[in-house]
Amino acid sequence: MPGVTIKGLTKRYGDVAAVEGLSLEVQPSELVSLLGPSGCGKTTTLRLVAGFLRPEAGEIWVGERCLSSPTGVVPPERRRMAMIFQSYALWPHMTVAQNVAYGLRLKAGVSKTEREARVKDMLRVVQLGGYESRYPGELSGGQQQRVAVARALVVEPEILLLDEPLSNLDANLREEMRFEIRRLHATFAITTLYVTHDQGEAMVISDRVAVLYRGRVVQVGTAEDLFQRPRTRFVAEFIGKTNLVDGVAVEPGVVARGSLRLRVAVTGLKPGAPVAVSIRPHEIILVTGDRATPPGHNVLTGVVQRTSYLGDAVDYQVRVNESDVTLRVTAPTSIRLRPGVGMRLAVAPEACVPLIEPEEGRP
Amino acid sequence: MGAGLAAVLAYIVNRRILPGHQLLAFLALAPVVIPGVVLAVALFVAYTRPPLVLYGSIWILFVAYLTKEMPVGYAQSDATFKGVHPELEEAGRVLGAGRLRVLGEITAPLARSGVIATWCFVFIGVIRELSASIILFTPNTKVISVVIFDLKEEGQFGAIAVLGLFMLAMTFAAVVVMQTLLGRDFIGAKE
Ligand SMILES: Nc1ncnc2c1ncn2[C@@H]1O[C@H](COP(=O)(O)OP(=O)(O)OP(=O)(O)O)[C@@H](O)[C@H]1O
Ligand SMILES: [Mg+2]
């Protein structure tokens, strides 16, 4: 299985760039999600990789083959890829078996008997044995989705492309299909690009996640990387909930906002530079009474403003004393504090992540 | 024939295959504003002199009908192809089928009933066409509608009734045949 390398890819529609200087490296047999808000260029990227669009700049390589560049695009039918569409795109005039067999019929050197055997096997893998002669219109959404998966995998593509394949399914089925796709990926080890705007889905399903923002990849990493070490404000806010404290670096490892001082996770800051610090709500420890704070932590004092009970945790809004900062804190239900109660907050420096990289269109 | 051309045009416009596809769409729809009589006179003037003399043959009627019914055919086919989601074609492409193969095995079967319906509309439109025919006919190429017009001038209402019934029967038959064909198509897909 070859990997995919995308270099400086740009695609414009009129004056707007749908994709602008996008670079991404997908390792052989890796499953990478393209995650981002609506309109950030995910579908456009996927269609560029599939060969439906010609880029204005940049290149797409699969293994040793350059498939797309501004001077030439290998057409989709000669890319040895398969794609699963948001609409599934099953052909309504063909049976399930005919749909799945289509790609094999076009492959040289696959005999009729082999083809039938492979279709049958693949339908069994996606748990649709016995549905061969049904028409797509006679299947449920989840079953149609599995036919689409079977149709794509049966040709043993080098690259698999998926565009929000689960967005038409209800929550339960979606969860089930996530694991299904994960399982199939483990079985066939096909290099896969998976487009989604659902961060939970991206984190469950992929080896690595590429976060897209305005046509660019702003950060690539494992789910853990992105969650614990976001590099930009956009990533910090897009992946999970967070508190952002805008301040100024006063020492290489300290950020200040008014009289508030936070020791942060890195020590390479330039004093005087504006820095936003991201603190996850569950990384903040509430310390009441005269109990000791954990050693080495940043310690703040504050007053509870609001609380919401979430069942498995309690969500607090805490006003930090002598500053204009309000922090969200997620705490276990074992301590319950009422609005107006004062307490101390302890945050490990490792949990205070400075967002270093500036964002386009933002200060 | 007219329906076929309309379908090809609509396909090209819809999938933006050629540069200038919007101009094509405009040209296909333009005849709708031209009255049949005006169109016929224009054709008469254009094709009664070299390089192309069509007047006197059935072909001038053919050209007139083609032009006149193009907007109807085009609008119908356009709707048909809009109904075939491009992703259905793209799914075929990624699996290894070239553009032509996808057209033959995926687009055409899905668009078939729509194209047949288009043909029905065009056929009915042509059969009852009078305004252009009356200017372009010759004794050898008298179409039914012109004959009926002549008979009325002569006051032969009996003959008109017969021809009228014949015309009615013909269009009716065409529609019924098409409907059964479509019906079988539909049942065939479901069983
Ligand atoms: N055919 C087109 N013509 C003009 N603009 C387009 C076209 N396709 C996409 N765009 C624009 O390009 C940008 C990126 O679109 P794209 O479909 O890639 O977004 P996306 O990330 O897939 O969004 P979503 O999550 O809503 O599907 C959008 O601003 C969109 O308006
Ligand atoms: Mg999209």
Side-chain angles (χ1 to χ4, degrees), chain A residues 274-296:
Chain A
V275 178
V277 177
S278 159
I279 309 170
R280 300 286 178 195
H282 68 269
E283 302 272 17
I284 305 175
I285 306 163
L286 297 181
V287 183
T288 48
D290 48 9
R291 250 175 277 181
T293 51

Side-chain angles (χ1 to χ4, degrees), chain A residues 13 18 37-45 164 197:
Chain A
Y13 290 109
S38 189
C40 70
K42 306 180 295 289
T43 299
T44 307
T45 306
E164 311 211 12
H197 63 256

Side-chain angles (χ1 to χ4, degrees), chain A residues 300-360:
Chain A
L300 320 170
T301 56
V303 178
V304 175
Q305 286 195 311
R306 261 202 297 165
T307 78
S308 8
Y309 178 70
L310 302 177
D312 50 355
V314 186
D315 209 40
Y316 295 98
Q317 245 185 32
V318 179
R319 178 65 179 259
V320 178
N321 292 343
E322 287 152 44
S323 84
D324 57 352
V325 176
T326 308
L327 295 177
R328 282 187 61 175
V329 181
T330 306
T333 48
S334 51
I335 10 170
R336 300 292 300 276
L337 300 174
R338 259 184 243 141
V341 173
M343 78 339 240
R344 282 167 297 157
L345 305 165
V347 196
E350 299 77 54
C352 300
V353 182
L355 306 173
I356 341 172
E357 292 181 13
E359 222 126 39
E360 210 187 324

Side-chain angles (χ1 to χ4, degrees), chain A residues 47 50 52 75-78 80-83 85-94 99 102-106 133 135 137-138 151-152 155 161 163, chain B residues 84-112 185-191:
Chain A
R47 291 171 54 80
F52 292 117
E77 60 268 27
R78 290 201 273 113
R80 291 178 238 149
M81 296 184 179
M83 186 159 175
F85 297 84
Q86 187 171 356
S87 65
Y88 310 146
L90 298 180
W91 300 303
H93 61 299
M94 298 185 195
N99 264 282
Y102 190 80
L104 287 180
R105 277 205 287 128
L106 300 172
S133 54
Y135 281 85
E138 303 165 340
R151 185 177 68 178
V155 295
L161 308 171
D163 191 357
Chain B
V84 179
H85 200 294
E87 286 188 352
L88 290 172
E89 294 177 356
E90 289 170 358
R93 294 290 299 281
V94 274
L95 287 176
R99 201 186 276 278
L100 280 178
R101 193 164 185 141
V102 165
L103 183 60
E105 292 180 355
I106 294 165
T107 318
L110 291 175
R112 183 168 55 187
D185 195 36
F186 181 71
I187 294 160
K190 276 289 161 190
E191 76 193 0

Side-chain angles (χ1 to χ4, degrees), chain A residues 188-251:
Chain A
F188 295 95
I190 298 169
T191 311
T192 304
L193 268 175
Y194 186 101
V195 162
T196 178
H197 63 256
D198 179 334
Q199 50 128 334
E201 190 170 300
M203 291 175 123
V204 171
I205 230 166
S206 32
D207 298 319
R208 287 190 305 151
V209 180
V211 182
L212 266 66
Y213 179 65
R214 298 193 182 173
R216 295 166 184 279
V217 174
V218 284
Q219 191 170 351
V220 195
T222 61
E224 215 175 316
D225 275 344
L226 294 174
F227 191 76
Q228 296 188 341
R229 287 173 292 280
R231 282 211 300 265
T232 73
R233 181 187 279 265
F234 173 75
V235 175
E237 284 179 318
F238 195 69
I239 311 280
K241 296 190 182 105
T242 198
N243 294 291
L244 289 177
V245 179
D246 282 301
V248 177
V250 288
E251 281 171 42

Side-chain angles (χ1 to χ4, degrees), chain A residues 173-192:
Chain A
L173 198 53
R174 195 149 63 217
E175 193 138 336
E176 201 176 297
M177 289 306 298
R178 280 178 196 170
F179 289 109
E180 189 74 19
I181 290 176
R182 206 46 254 188
R183 182 176 70 84
L184 290 169
H185 181 255
T187 314
F188 295 95
I190 298 169
T191 311
T192 304

